[in-house]
Amino acid sequence: MGLAAGIIGLPNVGKSTLLNALCQAKAETANYPFCTIEKNIGTAKVPDPILEELKALLDPKEAVPATVEIVDIAGLVPGASQGAGLGNRFLSEIREVDALVHVVRCFEDENIAHTEGSADPLRDVELIETELALADLERLEKEAERTKRDFSPQGRKLHAVLEKLSSGLSAGEAVRDIPLSKEEAELASPLDYLTGKPVLFVANIDDSGHYKENAGYQALCQRFGPENVLPVCARLEEECAELEPDERIEFLSQLGFEEDALARLIEAIFKLLGLIRFYTFANNKLRAWEIPQGTTAEIAAGKIHSDMQTGFIRAEIIQLADLKKYPSLPELRRQGLVRSEGREYQLQDGELVHFLFSGGSR
Ligand SMILES: Nc1nc2c(ncn2[C@@H]2O[C@H](COP(=O)(O)OP(=O)(O)OP(=O)(O)O)[C@@H](O)[C@H]2O)c(=O)[nH]1
Ligand SMILES: [Mg+2]
């Protein structure tokens, strides 16, 4: 599996419902806590305006979007760090993912049980964050114990960073919010800590479509910043997940939804994971590929086929803006708009790439 985002939150808040909406998956959802025990894994197609533009220019037989892996993890409850509700196992599943999508119940529905009695978005977030922080503190203690006899200069530096993380966490900060120098981050690997992973909040709102007036959504925005909170009505999105994209948008707009919340969310998860896209066009097939930012051309070629990595010669790079002016490869070449790059070149988001490798080109 490549980079993956994990859906976390209290039990019965709509995590599996959201996975089904995002990935057209068939995870079991039910109106009782701990419906999910075994994690569900899905793949979401990343909506992509550049792919659409390339499709219009190149007229391929097939166009395949990039994807992102999403894992729906069992609900956490207070005490999870001490093993409550199978907490330890679920926490270790959270440890395996690279970013967190934290679902917060902001919908009113007296028929849907809430493990804490009633929904209170900020308190609910804090319950989860406290469990994650406690698990991190435990890990920090183990790490400090394991390395306590390392008196080398590196060892001393590591002790100092662990101390810094530990006092930050004890004061209620998440590891991701504790400023670390590059050297400190390399020593302590903050991404290995649950509160060190990048996070996005999903306000699961009711199906009225008026999310701006939803008090829970507003409270989350005020606390975490509107750029980090996305409103979605998971149940409604799940219901229309199997419609054709155009029908879905029309259905939602009739209900008063002004924007495609699901598309915005998938794009936000993609960015949260630090992914970018490059495109290939070969054998009449246009395809978007997801790679971590900073991936070299050689490694990117290997994503398509291992032979292309081992036999890598060079990558020819075309920009969408140039393709719009000259929509044919020979013409682009004549205009000097096909750039050649070697194996160490780091691909940039949105580039159309043609790989040359011993034994072929693609
Ligand atoms: N009214 C309303 N109900 C919802 C919404 N989203 C989910 N639900 C309902 O809430 C219940 C729980 O949903 P799930 O998706 O199973 O919740 P979960 O967070 O995966 O729960 P666990 O796996 O038990 O932790 C189901 O009955 C859903 O239909 C929503 O936006 N509005
Ligand atoms: Mg579930």
Side-chain angles (χ1 to χ4, degrees), residues 296-299 309-315 341-346:
T296 60
E298 185 185 17
I299 303 287
Q309 184 173 348
T310 42
F312 183 93
I313 299 171
R314 64 174 193 271
E341 296 286 357
R343 61 183 74 238
E344 291 306 323
Y345 173 70
Q346 294 184 359

Side-chain angles (χ1 to χ4, degrees), residues 11-17 29-30 32 34-36 109 204-205 235:
N12 219 28
V13 295
K15 299 182 299 300
S16 303
T17 307
T29 62
Y32 56 80
F34 298 114
C35 167
T36 306
D109 189 336
N204 190 9
I205 53 162
R235 190 158 75 177

Side-chain angles (χ1 to χ4, degrees), residues 140 160-170 175 178 180 188 193:
L140 274 167
V161 196
L162 296 179
E163 189 53 46
K164 185 171 178 177
L165 294 180
S166 177
S167 55
L169 273 167
S170 306
V175 167
I178 301 171
L180 295 181
Y193 292 89

Side-chain angles (χ1 to χ4, degrees), residues 2 32 59 91 94 102 124 139-140 142 169 196 235-236 242 249 298 306 326:
Y32 56 80
D59 191 25
L91 287 166
I94 300 178
H102 186 155
D124 291 353
R139 186 185 173 101
L140 274 167
K142 280 195 193 137
L169 273 167
R235 190 158 75 177
L236 192 64
E242 285 183 4
I249 300 288
E298 185 185 17
S306 55
Y326 308 102

Side-chain angles (χ1 to χ4, degrees), residues 311-362:
F312 183 93
I313 299 171
R314 64 174 193 271
E316 294 184 326
I317 312 279
I318 297 161
Q319 304 297 336
L320 173 63
D322 296 332
L323 188 68
K324 279 187 189 163
K325 278 191 241 154
Y326 308 102
S328 90
L329 196 58
E331 187 55 31
L332 281 163
R333 282 196 204 286
R334 263 196 296 280
Q335 298 292 334
L337 295 171
V338 179
R339 216 175 69 229
S340 264
E341 296 286 357
R343 61 183 74 238
E344 291 306 323
Y345 173 70
Q346 294 184 359
L347 292 183
Q348 303 297 306
D349 195 25
E351 288 176 334
L352 181 63
V353 185
H354 181 233
F355 290 104
L356 285 95
F357 56 104
S358 47
S361 79
R362 193 162 159 184

Side-chain angles (χ1 to χ4, degrees), residues 9 40 63 71 81 86 91 130 164 212 226 228 231 237 285 298-299 308 311 321 326 336 348 359:
N40 298 300
V71 188
S81 53
L86 289 180
L91 287 166
T130 303
K164 185 171 178 177
K212 286 182 183 142
N228 298 312
E237 295 286 358
K285 183 169 170 179
E298 185 185 17
I299 303 287
M308 292 172 67
Y326 308 102
Q348 303 297 306

Side-chain angles (χ1 to χ4, degrees), residues 7-20 27-37 40 72-76 103 105 107-109 111-113 204-207 232-238:
I7 305 183
I8 63 163
L10 288 175
N12 219 28
V13 295
K15 299 182 299 300
S16 303
T17 307
L18 183 68
L19 181 87
N20 290 346
E28 191 180 349
T29 62
N31 182 14
Y32 56 80
F34 298 114
C35 167
T36 306
I37 302 278
N40 298 300
D72 161 39
I73 301 169
L76 288 178
V103 179
R105 173 166 165 175
F107 64 84
E108 304 264 348
D109 189 336
N111 298 315
I112 308 285
N204 190 9
I205 53 162
D206 54 43
D207 45 22
V232 169
C233 178
R235 190 158 75 177
L236 192 64
E237 295 286 358
E238 180 191 37

